Amino acid sequence: MVDVLGGRRLVTCDGAWVEAEAALQNKVVGLYFAAGRCAPSRDFTPLLCDFYAELVDEARPPAPFEVVFVSADGSAQEMLAFMRELHGAWLALPFHDPYRHELRTRYRVTATPRLLILQPSGEVITDKGRRQIRERGPACFRNWAEAADIFQNFSG
């Protein structure tokens, strides 16, 4: 993810700052474009939260997976409220970081929610992460990890 988010600082739902390179190193990354005012986002976010929890919080060892929320909310307050209400323990690009708009353009995001699954290099594994999670649940992660050539003892 050095190519995409290298040098950036990300924020947790608790307001803590983390360096993107350290947090995303050797992981499959889901870039999650969503907004709290968007009904489909509010519908899918709890499913993504459960998916993340099963792969990362509950699995031993945790899967090499991270979600980075890219807000399409109208304000920083809306973004934080959405994160605190429905999000999992994943990361977010700060609301005031103009790179949010560059990512939307780079990955041709025209509607929310959208979940892009990326290799550590930033290359897209699939732009259908949302549909794959709905249809296959955690089983889809194995294909993503294989495509990213990250397999390190993940057996889920």
Side-chain angles (χ1 to χ4, degrees):
M1 289 306 295
V2 173
D3 295 346
V4 176
L5 294 170
R8 301 249 174 228
R9 291 178 66 198
L10 303 174
V11 65
T12 68
C13 59
D14 298 328
W17 292 93
V18 297
E19 296 298 325
E21 289 178 52
L24 305 177
Q25 185 174 358
N26 295 319
K27 292 184 179 178
V28 172
V29 174
L31 276 186
Y32 184 45
F33 297 85
R37 67 182 180 279
C38 168
S41 292
R42 295 185 69 77
D43 177 59
F44 178 70
T45 300
L47 187 61
L48 179 58
C49 187
D50 291 346
F51 176 86
Y52 181 89
E54 189 170 336
L55 285 176
V56 178
D57 296 337
E58 299 166 9
R60 293 295 168 253
F65 179 65
E66 190 58 67
V67 173
V68 176
F69 172 51
V70 183
S71 176
D73 290 297
S75 70
Q77 292 77 17
E78 286 179 17
M79 175 184 159
L80 289 173
F82 182 41
M83 288 174 68
R84 289 182 178 135
E85 180 185 358
L86 291 176
H87 283 211
W90 56 70
L91 305 170
L93 198 60
F95 183 82
H96 295 293
D97 188 332
Y99 195 55
R100 291 183 314 120
H101 307 295
E102 292 177 42
L103 287 172
R104 289 180 69 88
T105 301
R106 176 179 181 166
Y107 291 110
R108 298 182 189 101
V109 175
T110 57
T112 58
R114 182 113 184 250
L115 180 64
L116 300 172
I117 306 302
L118 307 178
Q119 296 182 22
S121 67
E123 290 185 49
V124 177
I125 294 171
T126 183
D127 62 356
K128 296 174 178 42
R130 182 175 160 218
R131 180 178 358 169
Q132 290 179 9
I133 288 172
R134 281 195 184 282
E135 292 174 357
R136 300 187 55 222
C140 62
F141 180 77
R142 180 176 296 280
N143 292 341
W144 301 344
E146 288 173 358
D149 201 25
I150 298 175
F151 207 65
Q152 64 183 40
N153 299 322
F154 176 72
S155 60

